[in-house]
Amino acid sequence: MKTGKVFLVGAGPGDVRLITVKGMEAIKQAEVILYDRLANPKLLEFAPADCELIYCGKLPNRHIIRQGNINEILVQKALEGKRVVRLKGGDPGVFGRVGEEAAALAEYQIPFEIVPGISSGIAAPLYAGIPVTHREYAESFAVVTAHDKSKEGKPVLDWEGLARGVDTIAFYMGVGNLPFICENLITYGKPSATPVILIQWGTFGRQKTLQGTLADITAKVEEAKFSNPSIILVGNVISLREKISWFEKMPLHGRQILLARTSEGSSELAKELIEYGADVIEFPKWKKTVLPVDLTNVASYEKILFTSPESVEEFFTAVIEKGIDIRTIRANFYGASLKSIKALKKRGFMATHADEIDETGALLIVGDDSILNKNYDSADIIVTSKKELDPQFLPIFKRMLDEANVNTMVFPSSASVDLFVKAVNECDLNVVDLLQELEVVSMGRQTEGAVVTAGLPSHGVPENPTKEALVEYLAARPKEEV
């Protein structure tokens, strides 16, 4: 049997857009992905539909899979001939144990590549408005692990070298040892007034910062109940933050949004919300199977209704594959939503909204298998694809909910409401309890009606059912209400 190959990939610090091109290519071609807690789970959605996902996350004081077992799984899957990705938060070479994993693979002569990632110790400060070096403030920079296997769990370090010889120090995952860190830096020569900042969940929309000095940061952290994952940054360069802080000033920063999803891919709406600083969890995750389509009688219809943008693409892909002359299709086109109409327009066809369909003439309805649940007595139906929940993403969704502090729910369409409720039930969660303390926003009055009919709370509707109007609506709400 042919031996597979392993890619040891740095996922970057959290913002999915910070992964390298090479890292993304590895994910898109993976047959197996072993991923850590600090690798953003949204990256897994770029993997092939049949990719096996294995969680190796390490929580404080609790290991899901120990390092030795991870090494064994990498070797086993590669020897089965699989293309394997080991996805790690940040950079695999910075406290990522990539050396141990690469050595295990080399022992079995398994080919591998190491794909660097952006390290949290550099990225999180930049998203907080702090470059770790600066000609006037800092000419040296150190990254230090603040939790290791040393005596009593306290890091054994060259404290004098750090205190006197390094301008900016980034401590990884060291909140529990913060008093010990501050005490030693002061003891070995750092002034007690040296600025310190903690950056929690750096580069995520949920990023939080807490600033102080070596003398008072411990008390501030205890009062604010700050916890890992956090970078602790020490150095005078932190003073630049007042001038060049940018990420936390974005209009949707602090918005942690749960976005109901009706299609299998990441939506343009999610991308827009992230672009303006929000944290977005899209749910549910769908697996789609495109079905063979019988277009024998397609020229006989006077009206064709497309129920989704995806159905437009699947229908016309089938038309092209079967060599049908598009000029023989003389029907008027209709879309069940503005997105469906837009998808038709992109292909050069003018379409009308479904509300304007008259009762005369033969009607064909095109959509995924969900249209089989509806009553279309006077129409023929073409099912272009079958859609089902991806069970691998149900536990992932629950973990994302546990780690985030979701404050906003967005339903982009009326169709998304019922699908979302059913998927939440599959997670053994109560949808009413889940949404109880969230601001629930609907994209349009029809969607709001579906939300209310489902017995869910409803708090508002943007002026128009567009992504731009939604951003404007959310940005206008004071942050203290979020």
Side-chain angles (χ1 to χ4, degrees):
M1 182 184 290
K2 182 183 175 184
T3 301
K5 186 171 183 178
V6 177
F7 293 82
L8 305 163
V9 177
D15 186 335
V16 290
R17 298 166 297 177
L18 295 181
I19 193 169
T20 63
V21 173
K22 187 171 184 178
M24 181 61 79
E25 287 173 350
I27 291 170
K28 288 180 176 179
Q29 297 174 34
E31 295 173 279
V32 182
I33 298 179
L34 288 79
Y35 65 100
D36 278 351
R37 176 194 177 207
L38 297 182
N40 192 329
K42 284 182 72 69
L43 290 169
L44 302 174
E45 298 190 4
F46 294 94
D50 56 352
C51 181
E52 181 184 3
L53 306 177
I54 301 173
Y55 183 52
C56 305
K58 298 178 182 68
L59 301 172
N61 304 317
R62 183 153 56 96
H63 291 244
I64 303 298
I65 301 180
R66 295 194 174 276
Q67 187 61 51
N69 300 123
I70 293 171
N71 298 350
E72 290 172 7
I73 295 170
L74 290 173
V75 169
Q76 174 198 333
K77 296 295 182 181
L79 290 177
E80 290 173 5
K82 302 285 180 63
R83 190 176 178 93
V84 184
V85 167
R86 173 74 172 105
L87 193 63
K88 300 165 172 288
D91 180 275
V94 181
F95 312 127
R97 298 188 178 180
V98 74
E100 299 170 44
E101 293 169 356
L105 297 168
E107 185 179 341
Y108 286 85
Q109 297 184 320
I110 294 169
F112 65 87
E113 292 187 30
I114 302 175
V115 182
I118 298 175
S119 181
S120 303
I122 297 170
L126 282 174
Y127 268 55
I130 307 163
V132 293
T133 63
H134 188 279
R135 286 193 297 174
E136 295 178 20
Y137 295 95
E139 295 183 344
S140 56
F141 168 59
V143 293
V144 181
T145 179
H147 68 301
D148 60 16
K149 298 177 181 177
S150 56
K151 186 178 179 182
E152 298 177 354
K154 308 294 185 188
V156 176
L157 303 168
D158 178 6
W159 290 107
E160 184 170 5
L162 283 172
R164 298 186 184 278
V166 181
D167 295 323
T168 309
I169 313 167
F171 292 93
Y172 283 57
M173 305 295 280
V175 175
N177 283 327
L178 183 59
F180 181 76
I181 291 168
C182 294
E183 179 186 333
N184 276 277
L185 288 176
I186 292 171
T187 298
Y188 285 93
K190 279 281 185 198
S192 60
T194 302
V196 181
I197 192 167
L198 273 74
I199 309 161
Q200 184 185 60
W201 290 110
T203 79
F204 282 87
R206 74 190 80 154
Q207 174 179 302
K208 285 186 179 180
T209 51
L210 184 64
Q211 190 169 336
T213 65
L214 286 175
D216 64 17
I217 192 66
T218 296
K220 288 185 174 184
V221 165
E222 288 176 358
E223 184 181 350
K225 296 180 180 177
F226 240 63
S227 61
N228 286 321
S230 294
I231 292 291
I232 301 167
L233 199 71
V234 180
N236 291 325
V237 74
I238 292 169
S239 60
L240 284 170
R241 170 177 162 78
E242 292 179 16
K243 289 182 180 178
I244 62 173
S245 175
W246 62 277
F247 183 57
E248 291 171 35
K249 294 177 180 176
M250 298 189 81
L252 297 187
H253 179 265
R255 283 278 179 184
Q256 296 184 57
I257 298 171
L258 185 53
L259 176 61
R261 175 162 51 185
T262 55
S263 58
E264 76 280 2
S266 186
S267 67
E268 290 300 318
L269 178 56
K271 293 174 185 174
E272 184 86 358
L273 295 169
I274 292 168
E275 190 73 29
Y276 283 91
D279 233 354
V280 180
I281 299 174
E282 292 183 90
F283 183 76
K285 173 73 167 65
W286 302 99
K287 290 174 73 172
K288 181 176 75 170
T289 304
V290 177
L291 302 174
V293 176
D294 182 4
L295 296 175
T296 306
N297 299 318
V298 70
S300 65
Y301 294 98
E302 296 167 64
K303 299 171 291 186
I304 301 179
L305 167 62
F306 295 91
T307 60
S308 68
E310 293 78 20
S311 67
V312 173
E313 300 307 312
E314 290 154 8
F315 176 84
F316 283 103
T317 298
V319 166
I320 293 167
E321 287 177 352
K322 293 179 184 296
I324 295 174
D325 187 340
I326 195 68
R327 291 171 295 184
T328 64
I329 303 176
R330 300 181 179 180
N332 292 323
F333 290 160
Y334 296 85
S337 66
L338 292 176
K339 289 181 181 178
S340 304
I341 293 170
K342 188 176 179 181
L344 286 162
K345 191 174 181 181
K346 277 185 177 179
R347 286 186 169 270
F349 299 105
M350 300 305 294
T352 310
H353 196 275
D355 293 344
E356 298 183 35
I357 295 179
D358 58 46
E359 296 183 3
T360 60
L363 170 64
L364 174 66
I365 299 174
V366 180
D368 63 33
D369 60 334
S370 65
I371 64 176
L372 297 174
N373 300 325
K374 298 178 181 178
N375 185 17
Y376 293 119
D377 291 336
S378 58
D380 292 334
I381 289 173
I382 285 182
V383 177
T384 55
S385 61
K386 180 177 71 175
K387 188 166 62 176
E388 57 189 349
L389 277 176
D390 190 334
Q392 286 199 103
F393 279 83
L394 298 181
I396 292 171
F397 171 64
K398 292 178 79 170
R399 278 198 299 274
M400 292 173 78
L401 279 184
D402 287 342
E403 295 196 331
N405 184 21
V406 175
N407 49 43
T408 309
M409 175 78 222
V410 174
F411 288 103
S413 65
S414 55
S416 70
V417 179
D418 188 46
L419 293 172
F420 178 82
V421 171
K422 288 178 179 176
V424 168
N425 290 338
E426 289 287 327
C427 292
D428 295 323
L429 297 172
N430 183 294
V431 69
V432 175
D433 291 345
L434 178 63
L435 303 187
Q436 190 171 17
E437 297 183 4
L438 308 189
E439 181 179 2
V440 180
V441 181
S442 304
M443 296 281 284
R445 296 296 173 189
Q446 186 177 346
T447 303
E448 185 182 38
V451 169
V452 173
T453 301
L456 304 179
S458 176
H459 299 107
V461 179
E463 191 170 333
N464 298 301
T466 64
K467 56 183 186 288
E468 293 83 8
L470 177 64
V471 169
E472 190 175 323
Y473 174 87
L474 294 176
R477 310 276 292 181
K479 281 194 177 182
E480 52 267 23
E481 291 186 18
V482 178

